[in-house]
Structures are given as structure tokens and as C-alpha cells.
Amino acid sequence: SAGLELSVNNHAADFTLSTGLSPAISLSCLVHNSSQAEELLWYRGAGRVDLKDGNKVNISNICISPVNESDNGVTFTCRLARDKSVQVSVTLDVQFPPQLSGEETLHVEEGKDVTMTCNSKSNPQAQSTWLKDNQSLTLQQNRQNLYQTSEVLQLSIRKVQKSDNGTYTCLLESRLGNGTRDFHLIVEDKKPVFPKEAVIAAVVVVTITILFGIVAQKDRFFKVW
């Protein structure tokens, strides 16, 4: 295979292909400097792509359809069958806006903790902001906390208070578009704590009273007997 070269979409070396969400994109692999029929192989990551007869020799085409978020970062590699060191790889850079929408209503008892979670996946990564009642949220130290990764955005509130009532909005902004999700937080009154200890004490008192009553009446019971 000395002197043989491959190219994918006219690139003779590994490259990155930027694309948006689209119905389809095609990749074409071509053998150069061949004097005989050369079989080609395609891989998606580590997995082999199944090629039809007539699409394997000297030139081979594959189609990714549709192109979606899960294709971002995936590498496709074209290799020479008899010498797999001869290869060209293309990594997909699939760009898409934040996929965020909808609303959710949360009923939380006063004094409990609550966490609001947004899926923040986008490419390029979006700028994130939390709003309360359409105003920028100022975090209360030690009670409200933010947690963020490349795919998750969370707002946690410890020991919610009546003043926490309102609509919280997770806002993601990128050059490709924006996404929002609303959380309607309703803080409910504390439920009265069931007085378990008092009930147990009352049961014990009643039981002892009944026992003493039986003991006090035992002579009469025996007399009747």
C-alpha cells in the first residue's frame, strides 16, 4: 500500500466538519494513487458501518440522516481494508441552540428543600441565567445555590420560605437561539406535626387507669363468681 492515500470530502488529513441540525450530510472517501481495486471500510467511532456492494471499491459514500444532537463529537473514519493504517477521520461538530422549553409547578412545604433542574445542552455552550418573576435572581448566601455542568443547570433552595413564592426561569442564551423553562414555586403552610409522644402517653395513662380499676374491683368480681 506504499504511496496509497485516502481523502474524505477532499481532505487528505483528519479534520472537523461543522454542521447544523440538518436532514442529511454525506461523506465521500476516495482512494488515490491506486493501480488496482482497493476495498474501503467505514467506521462510526469503534463500530463498523455496513456498506452495500458497489459502495466499497476505490470510492465509498455514507450518509448521516438526519443529523441531530447525538451526532455531535462523533468521529467517522475511512480505512483501507488491506492496510488499516491508511485512514482519514472526520469529527462532526454539530451546532444547535438550547433545547429547552415548557413549565413545571412545584408545591413545597415551608421549611423543606427544593431543587429546580434544567437540561442545558447546546453547542456552542449557552450563557445561563436564573430569573425570579422576570427579574435577575440575586442568590441568598447559604440558602440558594447553583450547580452547573455542560448539560445540567440546577437551582437549589434550602428551607424554603413564603418569600420564595414565585416563578423561577432558567434562561439559556446562545448565538443560535435562546431557551427558557419556568418553575412555578408554591410554598405551602407547614403541616401540623402529629403529636405521637402525647398520644403514646395518653394510651399508657388510660391503660394504667383500666388496670387499677380492675384491681380495685377484683373482690367484687370474685364474690360474684
Side-chain angles (χ1 to χ4, degrees):
S1 59
L4 285 179
E5 293 181 353
L6 300 181
S7 68
V8 173
N9 289 15
N10 298 320
H11 291 264
D14 296 349
F15 68 103
T16 298
L17 176 61
S18 294
T19 180
L21 303 176
S22 66
I25 60 171
S26 61
L27 302 176
S28 180
C29 183
L30 181 65
V31 179
H32 299 272
N33 306 323
S34 64
S35 58
Q36 64 184 53
E38 296 287 353
E39 183 182 356
L40 295 172
L41 307 174
W42 273 104
Y43 292 82
R44 176 189 170 105
R48 179 93 168 263
V49 177
D50 187 26
L51 300 174
K52 293 182 178 180
D53 293 337
N55 188 30
K56 299 179 180 179
V57 179
N58 289 344
I59 185 170
S60 180
N61 300 284
I62 61 172
C63 181
I64 301 104
S65 176
V67 180
N68 55 41
E69 298 92 330
S70 64
D71 296 312
N72 184 44
V74 174
T75 297
F76 290 86
T77 303
C78 180
R79 290 177 178 152
L80 197 66
R82 68 186 179 95
D83 185 354
K84 295 182 177 60
S85 65
V86 180
Q87 65 175 41
V88 175
S89 294
V90 50
T91 302
L92 298 186
D93 174 31
V94 181
Q95 301 191 353
F96 55 94
Q99 305 292 308
L100 190 63
S101 63
E103 58 184 331
E104 184 177 346
T105 300
L106 303 172
H107 295 266
V108 183
E109 183 182 336
E110 189 176 6
K112 300 289 187 181
D113 298 344
V114 66
T115 297
M116 291 164 268
T117 302
C118 286
N119 178 358
S120 60
K121 190 174 182 181
S122 63
N123 184 33
Q125 189 169 348
Q127 292 287 103
S128 62
T129 307
W130 278 97
L131 309 175
K132 182 186 178 186
D133 298 328
N134 294 320
Q135 302 293 324
S136 182
L137 176 64
T138 301
L139 294 178
Q140 296 182 21
Q141 191 174 11
N142 299 325
R143 212 173 64 83
Q144 297 176 331
N145 295 291
L146 292 180
Y147 170 78
Q148 184 173 3
T149 68
S150 61
E151 297 187 7
V152 173
L153 183 65
Q154 289 183 333
L155 169 64
S156 297
I157 305 177
R158 294 180 61 251
K159 297 181 178 179
V160 295
Q161 304 169 359
K162 288 289 187 175
S163 59
D164 294 319
N165 268 313
T167 297
Y168 294 79
T169 302
C170 173
L171 170 62
L172 298 176
E173 300 175 286
S174 82
R175 59 181 176 79
L176 298 180
N178 301 335
T180 61
R181 184 173 180 82
D182 289 335
F183 298 86
H184 305 294
L185 180 61
I186 300 173
V187 181
E188 300 177 335
D189 292 335
K190 269 189 174 182
K191 295 182 175 65
V193 178
F194 188 70
K196 183 171 64 175
E197 292 81 3
V199 171
I200 293 174
V203 170
V204 171
V205 170
V206 170
T207 303
I208 292 174
T209 302
I210 292 173
L211 288 175
F212 277 124
I214 293 173
V215 170
Q217 298 294 327
K218 71 178 188 337
D219 291 340
R220 180 181 298 178
F221 290 154
F222 289 145
K223 196 171 186 179
V224 171
W225 179 259

